[in-house]
Amino acid sequence: MTPDLLTDIADTFGTPTYVYDLDRVKEQYNTFKSAFPWPRLKICYAMKANYNRDILATLNELGSGIDAVSPGDLAMARSCGISISNIIYTANNITDTEMHEIAATGVLMNIGSLSRLKRYAEAYPGTRVCLRINPDVVDGAHDKIKTGGDLTKFGILLEDVEQIKEIVREAGLKVVGLHEHTGSGLKKPDSIIKAMKQVMSVATRENFPDLEFLDFGGGFKVPYGPDEAPIDIREIGSRVTRLFSEFCRDYGRELGLWFEPGKYLTAQAGTLLVRVNTVKQNRHRTICGTDSGFPQLIRPMFYDAYHAIENISNPAGMPGTYDICGNICETGDLFAKDRDMPEVRENDLLGIKDAGAYCYAMGGTYNLRPMPAEVVVEKGGFRLSRKRLTPEDLVALITGESATPARNDFNTQTRPDAA
Ligand code: LLP
């Protein structure tokens, strides 16, 4: 997305605005797909990364399935016309009510604890199910997003296989899939292979005779920082496919090879456009205030994540060092600290890059600031995908009543003759 295009979008729709390049999403999907030359490859996009409807529709058109994790995810996927047979449901710590609600839709459930498996087996004997195994491999870009190992709440431990088998046998369940997800932003490509081998060690015909697929989750890293290299997805793909092919030969059947990428498909396709409204010199620091904040893009504050920031208005400005902040009443409300970039001036337009995954989706309305608008770019053109709510819209959503425009009160308070 060129600076001119982004400027045009900001001029048309204002800021803050998320912009997603749908062509980049398609490119990422096709690159991923072609890296795994397996006839029964299935990609289930982890929609938790970004549930934007244009992104979901684009991936659906390309043939992607969906990894959904909540009734909201499921409802959103269904509203985009994604069929139930194309969705896997991988929620954790669900209630019985949620289990029944989901089972009623017919979506395949991926169960990650013995306790839930028992309750599912009692309620739905004889049905098809997928089981989430904890691969005991620990990797991920940050401690908060490592999912393997016994310190996390995810999946059934490998040593509990005999207990799984007993529950499955008693209820006549058909275990059609085994699943694992090691973590997000896996630092070592070997972790993918290790985790696969762990699942394969229990995925024998004797333990699970009804397998139709193995699902190895997501976690494929994208480069965020200037020193991070992109992963070699083709190399990973060929190692994975070779290993899987050997496994299928031993198992005696060609199974489906499933993945659930989130970041890999959407992270690099997104930019958050924000405008600088205040530049403050605090002794030796230059602090730039923008019209967005951490509830609208929380990764830097939450995971100390790095997002490149482009000064779209002043790309050739003198280099300087800046703290790029938001408009929220918290000290940690920063998008970047000590960031070297071309001179930042009031009214400059900044683009926070690689904001297509876990940015809007993790957003909230803290301080009652509505989330940014969303715009999609496709084949050189752009269009509004989701409009920005006004503060009154937001209050109406919260209270269920239409809100009085705040503007009147504000005018009264600032009139010199106001009481
Ligand atoms: N499958 C399962 C079961 C998952 O839990 C996840 C992510 C994925 C697939 C997709 O992982 P990905 O390919 O996107 O790495 N909010 C964090 C990432 C949390 C990931 C949660 N689970 C972040 O912003 O880095």
Side-chain angles (χ1 to χ4, degrees), residues 14 93 101 253 381 414:
N93 298 335
E101 255 175 53
R253 196 161 61 226
T414 50

Side-chain angles (χ1 to χ4, degrees), residues 46 48 67 145 181 184 218-219 260 262-263 299 303 358 362:
K48 63 176 84 70
D67 161 35
I145 54 177
H181 171 74
S184 191
E260 300 165 349
K263 276 179 189 162
R299 298 192 75 255
Y303 308 114
Y358 306 106
M362 290 180 74

